[in-house]
């Protein structure tokens, strides 16, 4: 079975992807992860006896280490999930985003190029570098604007989006300049099991279970297109197998939701699963000071991947949210572990100054 080097596989999407890949026997996996605050090796605990899964702690920006791993594992593909991924953190400290998302991706591309150039021509043709990116690189839409297409001009607004846009440009340049067989996916907001509770959906679930305020930035009418994480993972696998090299694929959930509606849906499910006798969870909703430069709306036109590769999201939002909430309810040990002092400090830093 071929081996794939997955980076950032101890984070939310990477871990779900590796679990699926090993479950479905897609390929062997070597996972390179720096283990930042957003990672959690518990995510992959069920693979501890899997001889075809290997974990290495390290930085994608470490050229020597990555070159060594490529020699050792001889992968047929690299899938780059590793990134700093939270917009609010990028506003408070953009430096880490430049370091990992821009410089780290650049070093990973360099190591990949050196490795790829030495492969036999047969293996060179099969090799793929798949870069996992975001719809946020396209900027913000007004309510009547058409959804983002692959041709939409990049207009990143947050330091996070700018750093991902820069990395996408480097991936593109490595295809055009060196012929490295790259693929890029730009996906909308993911949700599902194992997401670090700094992002809207898991933060809302855990705060609600603690009877804490559910913070809504601004007027709550900012719109995101939500995709269940497993649908994203299936799309990535399809692009890896059948995507045309040098191309980009937009991936979305066909599921635009205003933030306030998302939070209200979560509250309604919690009212059903863990009812409180004296109040509804929605009474915890609290409007707070907006995020600076907050993008109003994201929407993805995923007709290309649908038409060319036959992909469609399988999960609907109500059932996906229900499953996600059940996962957090059933995994209290996981939740306990991620609620470190550092996490509490982050909540303090991000939310204390937002009280209207
Ligand atoms: P995450 O923050 O949950 O996980 C990121 C992982 O990368 C962590 O395990 C972290 O330790 C690792 N990492 C960070 N810096 C690293 C470095 N220098 N070297 C090696 N590993 C490093 O992120 P996620 O939500 O799983 O997102 C994964 C990828 O998907 C990111 O590239 C993100 O931009 C992209 N994406 C995310 C979403 C979303 O809604 N979460 C949507 C579209 C695209
Ligand atoms: P988030 O999960 O941080 O993802 P992104 O910023 O990458 O889209 O946020 C999703 C939306 O929810 C976004 O419009 C910001 C908003 N939001 C809140 O209203 N309150 C919160 O506490 C958080 C974390 C996000």
């Amino acid at each position: 079975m071929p081996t794939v080097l997955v980076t950032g596989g101890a984070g939310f999407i990477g871990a779900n992807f590796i679990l699926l890949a090993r479950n479905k026997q897609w390929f062997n996996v070597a996972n390179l992860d720096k283990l930042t605050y957003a990672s959690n090796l518990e995510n992959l605990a069920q693979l501890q006896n899997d001889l075809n899964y290997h974990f290495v702690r390290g930085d994608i920006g470490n050229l020597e280490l990555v070159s060594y791993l490529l020699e050792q594992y001889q992968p047929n593909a690299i899938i780059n999930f590793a990134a700093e991924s939270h917009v609010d953190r990028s506003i408070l400290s953009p430096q880490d985003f430049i370091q990992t998302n821009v410089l780290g991706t650049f070093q990973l591309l360099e190591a990949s190029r050196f490795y790829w150039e030495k492969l036999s021509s047969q293996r060179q043709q099969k090799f793929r570098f798949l870069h996992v990116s975001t719809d946020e690189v396209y900027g913000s839409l007004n309510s009547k604007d058409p959804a983002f297409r692959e041709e939409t001009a990049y207009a990143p607004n947050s330091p996070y989006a700018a750093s991902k846009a820069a990395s996408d440009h480097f991936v593109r340049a490595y295809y055009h300049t060196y012929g490295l067989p790259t693929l890029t996916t730009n996906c909308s907001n993911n949700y599902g099991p194992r997401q670090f509770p700094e992002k809207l959906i898991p933060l809302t679930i855990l705060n609600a279970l603690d009877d804490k305020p559910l913070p809504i930035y601004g007027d709550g009418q900012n719109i995101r297109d939500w995709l269940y994480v497993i649908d994203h993972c299936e799309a990535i696998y399809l692009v890896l197998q059948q995507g045309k090299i040098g191309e980009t694929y937009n991936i979305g959930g066909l599921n635009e939701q205003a933030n306030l509606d998302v939070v209200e849906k979560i509250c309604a499910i919690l009212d059903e699963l863990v009812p409180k006798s004296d109040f509804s969870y929605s009474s915890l909703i609290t409007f707070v000071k907006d995020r600076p430069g907050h993008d109003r709306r994201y929407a993805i036109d995923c007709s290309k991947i649908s038409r060319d590769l036959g992909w469609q999201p399988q999960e609907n939002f109500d059932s996906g949210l229900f499953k996600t909430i059940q996962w957090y309810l059933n995994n209290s040990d996981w939740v306990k572990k991620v609620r470190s002092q550092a996490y509490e400090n982050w909540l303090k830093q991000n939310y204390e100054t937002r009280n209207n």
Side-chain angles (χ1 to χ4, degrees), residues 169-232:
H169 290 322
F170 275 100
V171 172
R172 176 190 160 91
Y174 271 62
Y175 168 69
H176 280 273
T177 306
Y178 306 109
L180 187 72
T182 62
L183 296 158
T184 298
T185 55
N186 293 89
C187 187
S188 61
N189 285 61
N190 283 213
Y191 70 100
R194 305 178 182 83
Q195 186 168 31
F196 189 76
E198 63 187 354
K199 306 277 168 69
L200 179 67
I201 288 180
L203 179 100
T204 300
I205 299 169
L206 298 193
N207 275 16
L209 291 173
D210 271 0
D211 301 346
K212 284 192 191 155
L214 309 180
I216 305 269
Y217 297 167
D219 63 2
Q221 293 309 311
N222 300 68
I223 289 173
R224 298 293 182 264
D225 170 13
W226 293 97
L227 178 69
Y228 193 62
V229 64
I230 300 301
D231 277 328
H232 185 191

Side-chain angles (χ1 to χ4, degrees), residues 137-175:
V137 297
Y138 297 119
S140 183
L141 295 169
N142 291 319
S143 58
K144 299 233 155 53
D145 288 339
F148 301 131
R149 296 173 58 84
E150 286 78 2
E151 303 79 29
T152 303
Y154 275 29
N157 288 323
S158 69
Y160 164 66
S163 68
K164 290 297 290 187
S167 67
D168 294 8
H169 290 322
F170 275 100
V171 172
R172 176 190 160 91
Y174 271 62
Y175 168 69

Side-chain angles (χ1 to χ4, degrees), residues 134-135 147-148 186-191 223-233 235 249-257 298-303 305-306 311-320:
T134 166
D135 59 357
F148 301 131
N186 293 89
C187 187
S188 61
N189 285 61
N190 283 213
Y191 70 100
I223 289 173
R224 298 293 182 264
D225 170 13
W226 293 97
L227 178 69
Y228 193 62
V229 64
I230 300 301
D231 277 328
H232 185 191
C233 294
Y249 292 86
N250 281 356
I251 304 169
L254 303 169
N255 175 37
E256 289 184 54
Q257 305 274 343
Y298 301 143
I300 277 273
D301 178 338
C302 54
S303 52
I305 187 171
S306 160
W311 177 86
Q312 290 285 349
Q314 298 300 311
E315 192 70 58
N316 78 56
F317 194 47
D318 288 338
S319 63

